[in-house]
Amino acid sequence: EAGVAQSPRYKIIEKRQSVAFWCNPISGHATLYWYQQILGQGPKLLIQFQNNGVVDDSQLPKDRFSAERLKGVDSTLKIQPAKLEDSAVYLCASSFGTGGDYGYTFGSGTRLTVV
Amino acid sequence: QQPVQSPQAVILREGEDAVINCSSSKALYSVHWYRQKHGEAPVFLMILLKGGEQKGHEKISASFNEKKQQSSLYLTASQLSYSGTYFCGTNTNAGKSTFGDGTTLTVKP
Protein backbone atom coordinates (compact mmCIF):
# COMPACT_ATOMS: atom_id res chain seq x y z
CA GLU A 1 0.00 0.00 0.00
CA ALA A 2 1.11 3.58 -0.55
CA GLY A 3 2.58 5.28 2.49
CA VAL A 4 1.83 8.63 4.05
CA ALA A 5 2.70 11.35 1.52
CA GLN A 6 4.06 14.70 2.61
CA SER A 7 5.29 17.77 0.78
CA PRO A 8 7.49 19.67 0.54
CA ARG A 9 10.47 17.71 1.89
CA TYR A 10 12.44 20.81 2.78
CA LYS A 11 11.56 24.45 3.32
CA ILE A 12 13.69 27.43 4.30
CA ILE A 13 11.91 30.66 5.21
CA GLU A 14 12.68 33.86 7.02
CA LYS A 15 11.14 34.56 10.41
CA ARG A 16 7.73 36.19 10.24
CA GLN A 17 7.00 34.55 6.88
CA SER A 18 4.26 31.96 6.45
CA VAL A 19 4.56 28.35 5.36
CA ALA A 20 2.20 25.45 4.65
CA PHE A 21 2.72 21.71 4.70
CA TRP A 22 0.57 19.08 3.03
CA CYS A 23 -0.17 15.49 4.01
CA ASN A 24 -2.09 12.64 2.39
CA PRO A 25 -2.59 9.70 4.76
CA ILE A 26 -2.87 6.02 3.97
CA SER A 27 -6.19 5.25 2.30
CA GLY A 28 -8.73 4.10 4.86
CA HIS A 29 -6.92 5.57 7.86
CA ALA A 30 -9.46 7.70 9.67
CA THR A 31 -7.04 9.23 12.15
CA LEU A 32 -4.43 11.77 11.09
CA TYR A 33 -1.81 13.43 13.26
CA TRP A 34 0.69 16.25 12.91
CA TYR A 35 3.83 15.96 15.02
CA GLN A 36 6.74 18.34 15.53
CA GLN A 37 10.16 16.75 15.96
CA ILE A 38 12.99 18.98 17.12
CA LEU A 39 16.50 17.65 16.50
CA GLY A 40 17.48 15.13 19.16
CA GLN A 41 13.97 14.76 20.56
CA GLY A 42 10.99 12.51 20.06
CA PRO A 43 7.91 13.58 18.10
CA LYS A 44 5.51 15.88 19.94
CA LEU A 45 1.84 15.99 19.03
CA LEU A 46 0.46 19.18 17.55
CA ILE A 47 -3.00 18.08 16.46
CA GLN A 48 -5.07 14.94 15.96
CA PHE A 49 -7.96 14.56 13.50
CA GLN A 50 -10.59 11.83 13.43
CA ASN A 51 -12.03 11.96 9.92
CA ASN A 52 -12.38 15.73 9.43
CA GLY A 53 -12.96 16.61 13.07
CA VAL A 54 -10.35 17.79 15.58
CA VAL A 55 -9.88 15.37 18.50
CA ASP A 56 -6.96 17.04 20.26
CA ASP A 57 -5.29 20.37 19.54
CA SER A 58 -4.29 21.19 23.10
CA GLN A 59 -0.59 21.49 22.21
CA LEU A 60 -1.05 23.47 19.01
CA PRO A 61 0.18 27.10 19.34
CA LYS A 62 -3.03 28.49 17.97
CA ASP A 63 -1.79 32.06 17.75
CA ARG A 64 0.44 31.02 14.84
CA PHE A 65 -0.37 27.44 13.84
CA SER A 66 -3.51 26.23 12.10
CA ALA A 67 -4.50 22.94 10.54
CA GLU A 68 -7.41 21.58 8.59
CA ARG A 69 -8.50 18.28 7.15
CA LEU A 70 -11.19 18.91 4.60
CA LYS A 71 -13.31 15.97 3.43
CA GLY A 72 -11.59 13.72 5.97
CA VAL A 73 -8.66 12.84 3.70
CA ASP A 74 -5.64 15.07 3.17
CA SER A 75 -4.57 17.79 5.56
CA THR A 76 -2.61 21.02 5.63
CA LEU A 77 -0.66 22.56 8.50
CA LYS A 78 0.14 26.26 8.36
CA ILE A 79 2.46 28.46 10.37
CA GLN A 80 1.98 32.21 10.23
CA PRO A 81 4.13 34.02 11.23
CA ALA A 82 7.07 31.65 11.72
CA LYS A 83 9.56 32.01 14.56
CA LEU A 84 13.12 30.75 14.79
CA GLU A 85 12.05 28.12 17.34
CA ASP A 86 9.69 26.58 14.78
CA SER A 87 12.70 25.07 13.01
CA ALA A 88 11.99 21.33 13.17
CA VAL A 89 10.78 18.37 11.18
CA TYR A 90 7.01 18.27 10.83
CA LEU A 91 5.77 14.71 10.62
CA CYS A 92 2.36 13.63 9.48
CA ALA A 93 1.14 10.24 10.67
CA SER A 94 -1.99 8.21 10.19
CA SER A 95 -3.50 5.24 11.96
CA PHE A 96 -6.22 2.75 11.16
CA GLY A 97 -7.90 3.40 14.50
CA THR A 98 -5.86 5.27 17.06
CA GLY A 99 -2.13 5.19 17.56
CA GLY A 100 -2.60 3.71 21.00
CA ASP A 101 -4.26 0.61 19.52
CA TYR A 102 -2.51 0.21 16.17
CA GLY A 103 0.62 2.35 16.15
CA TYR A 104 1.41 5.02 13.58
CA THR A 105 2.55 5.14 9.99
CA PHE A 106 4.66 8.26 9.57
CA GLY A 107 5.39 10.25 6.44
CA SER A 108 8.92 11.30 5.54
CA GLY A 109 8.35 14.72 7.06
CA THR A 110 9.04 18.31 6.08
CA ARG A 111 12.25 19.78 7.42
CA LEU A 112 11.60 23.46 8.16
CA THR A 113 14.43 25.90 8.72
CA VAL A 114 13.51 29.39 9.88
CA VAL A 115 16.31 31.95 9.46
CA GLN B 1 4.18 12.81 30.75
CA GLN B 2 7.05 11.81 28.50
CA PRO B 3 8.49 8.29 28.93
CA VAL B 4 12.16 7.95 29.78
CA GLN B 5 14.37 5.86 27.54
CA SER B 6 17.67 4.30 28.51
CA PRO B 7 20.39 4.19 27.50
CA GLN B 8 20.60 7.38 25.43
CA ALA B 9 23.11 5.79 23.10
CA VAL B 10 24.71 2.40 22.55
CA ILE B 11 27.47 1.21 20.24
CA LEU B 12 27.66 -2.44 19.25
CA ARG B 13 29.61 -4.75 16.98
CA GLU B 14 27.72 -6.84 14.47
CA GLY B 15 26.31 -9.92 16.12
CA GLU B 16 26.07 -8.43 19.61
CA ASP B 17 22.83 -7.99 21.54
CA ALA B 18 21.24 -4.83 22.93
CA VAL B 19 18.38 -3.91 25.25
CA ILE B 20 16.60 -0.56 25.18
CA ASN B 21 14.29 0.39 28.02
CA CYS B 22 11.25 2.67 28.16
CA SER B 23 9.78 3.69 31.52
CA SER B 24 6.72 5.69 32.43
CA SER B 25 5.52 7.22 35.68
CA LYS B 26 1.90 6.51 34.71
CA ALA B 27 -0.12 3.33 34.23
CA LEU B 28 0.12 2.34 30.60
CA TYR B 29 -2.45 1.10 28.12
CA SER B 30 0.04 0.38 25.35
CA VAL B 31 3.64 0.82 24.27
CA HIS B 32 4.82 1.05 20.66
CA TRP B 33 8.30 1.05 19.18
CA TYR B 34 9.80 2.75 16.11
CA ARG B 35 13.16 2.92 14.38
CA GLN B 36 14.22 6.13 12.66
CA LYS B 37 17.22 6.38 10.37
CA HIS B 38 18.84 9.74 9.79
CA GLY B 39 16.67 11.97 7.62
CA GLU B 40 13.91 9.39 7.32
CA ALA B 41 10.50 8.80 8.87
CA PRO B 42 10.11 6.70 12.02
CA VAL B 43 9.16 3.16 11.02
CA PHE B 44 6.70 1.21 13.15
CA LEU B 45 8.18 -1.96 14.67
CA MET B 46 5.53 -3.29 17.03
CA ILE B 47 2.87 -2.42 19.57
CA LEU B 48 2.23 -4.10 22.91
CA LEU B 49 -1.07 -3.74 24.70
CA LYS B 50 -1.39 -4.14 28.47
CA GLY B 51 -1.27 -7.76 29.54
CA GLY B 52 2.45 -8.38 29.86
CA GLU B 53 2.81 -9.88 26.39
CA GLN B 54 5.98 -10.23 24.44
CA LYS B 55 6.18 -9.76 20.70
CA GLY B 56 8.77 -10.54 18.08
CA HIS B 57 9.75 -9.06 14.75
CA GLU B 58 12.61 -10.91 13.03
CA LYS B 59 15.41 -10.71 15.60
CA ILE B 60 13.79 -7.81 17.42
CA SER B 61 11.38 -8.48 20.24
CA ALA B 62 9.82 -6.52 23.07
CA SER B 63 8.22 -7.08 26.43
CA PHE B 64 5.73 -4.99 28.39
CA ASN B 65 5.57 -5.10 32.17
CA GLU B 66 2.44 -3.15 33.02
CA LYS B 67 3.04 -3.45 36.78
CA LYS B 68 6.39 -1.70 36.43
CA GLN B 69 5.05 0.58 33.67
CA GLN B 70 7.95 -0.21 31.44
CA SER B 71 8.82 -1.90 28.19
CA SER B 72 12.07 -3.29 26.88
CA LEU B 73 13.15 -3.75 23.26
CA TYR B 74 15.56 -6.63 22.62
CA LEU B 75 17.80 -6.67 19.56
CA THR B 76 19.65 -9.94 19.11
CA ALA B 77 22.58 -10.66 16.80
CA SER B 78 22.64 -7.03 15.64
CA GLN B 79 23.05 -6.27 11.96
CA LEU B 80 24.40 -3.09 10.39
CA SER B 81 20.86 -2.30 9.24
CA TYR B 82 19.72 -2.04 12.86
CA SER B 83 21.57 1.26 13.26
CA GLY B 84 19.28 4.21 13.92
CA THR B 85 17.36 5.91 16.69
CA TYR B 86 14.74 3.87 18.50
CA PHE B 87 11.71 5.61 19.98
CA CYS B 88 9.07 4.28 22.30
CA GLY B 89 5.61 5.75 22.32
CA THR B 90 3.35 5.27 25.31
CA ASN B 91 -0.38 5.60 25.84
CA THR B 92 -2.28 5.84 29.10
CA ASN B 93 -5.43 5.25 27.04
CA ALA B 94 -6.13 4.52 23.38
CA GLY B 95 -6.06 8.20 22.50
CA LYS B 96 -3.00 10.39 23.03
CA SER B 97 0.56 9.06 22.64
CA THR B 98 3.74 10.47 24.15
CA PHE B 99 7.16 9.66 22.75
CA GLY B 100 10.52 9.30 24.43
CA ASP B 101 13.57 11.19 23.19
CA GLY B 102 15.07 8.11 21.62
CA THR B 103 18.02 5.77 21.95
CA THR B 104 20.68 5.98 19.26
CA LEU B 105 22.02 2.58 18.26
CA THR B 106 25.19 2.30 16.21
CA VAL B 107 26.22 -1.11 14.89
CA LYS B 108 29.78 -1.35 13.66
CA PRO B 109 31.30 -4.05 11.44
Side-chain angles (χ1 to χ4, degrees):
Chain A
E1 66 182 359
V4 176
Q6 285 191 249
S7 66
R9 282 283 277 143
Y10 306 93
K11 192 74 178 178
I12 300 174
I13 61 172
E14 295 182 349
K15 58 183 179 182
R16 291 187 291 274
Q17 285 187 324
S18 62
V19 64
F21 314 127
W22 175 82
C23 171
N24 192 23
I26 289 176
S27 177
H29 280 195
T31 316
L32 183 149
Y33 307 80
W34 283 101
Y35 281 90
Q36 181 191 59
Q37 186 176 27
I38 293 172
L39 186 64
Q41 298 181 17
K44 290 183 171 51
L45 179 68
L46 292 173
I47 189 167
Q48 175 186 347
F49 292 94
Q50 180 81 20
N51 296 310
N52 62 346
V54 175
V55 174
D56 185 349
D57 64 355
S58 58
Q59 297 182 87
L60 186 74
K62 297 182 187 65
D63 58 334
R64 298 184 300 107
F65 285 66
S66 64
E68 61 181 7
R69 190 185 184 194
L70 299 177
K71 301 180 182 178
V73 182
D74 56 353
S75 175
T76 56
L77 176 70
K78 296 179 182 177
I79 307 175
Q80 181 180 11
K83 293 185 175 181
L84 295 177
E85 59 261 36
D86 298 332
S87 293
V89 175
Y90 290 84
L91 294 166
C92 179
S94 68
S95 181
F96 177 73
T98 67
D101 283 323
Y102 295 93
Y104 300 85
T105 302
F106 286 92
S108 296
T110 297
R111 183 176 297 276
L112 174 68
T113 303
V114 183
V115 298
Chain B
Q1 189 156 355
Q2 186 180 25
V4 177
Q5 289 187 233
S6 62
Q8 284 188 309
V10 59
I11 300 174
L12 300 173
R13 293 286 180 188
E14 267 188 300
E16 292 182 339
D17 301 341
V19 180
I20 299 171
N21 300 302
C22 175
S23 297
S24 174
S25 60
K26 296 187 175 182
L28 296 177
Y29 171 85
S30 67
V31 180
H32 28 113
W33 289 94
Y34 302 81
R35 176 171 60 213
Q36 185 176 31
K37 294 185 180 285
H38 184 70
E40 299 180 9
V43 174
F44 174 72
L45 295 176
M46 66 191 79
I47 186 166
L48 302 98
L49 301 175
K50 64 178 180 181
E53 64 179 299
Q54 183 152 347
K55 277 194 173 180
H57 177 79
E58 297 178 344
K59 293 181 182 178
I60 301 174
S61 62
S63 62
F64 178 22
N65 187 325
E66 68 178 284
K67 289 184 179 178
K68 292 186 177 180
Q69 295 147 207
Q70 65 185 34
S71 176
S72 294
L73 185 71
Y74 306 94
L75 300 102
T76 58
S78 297
Q79 305 169 16
L80 294 176
S81 62
Y82 286 3
S83 292
T85 301
Y86 290 79
F87 292 98
C88 68
T90 57
N91 281 65
T92 55
N93 53 56
K96 188 173 180 177
S97 302
T98 309
F99 289 86
D101 282 338
T103 296
T104 301
L105 176 70
T106 303
V107 181
K108 294 187 173 182

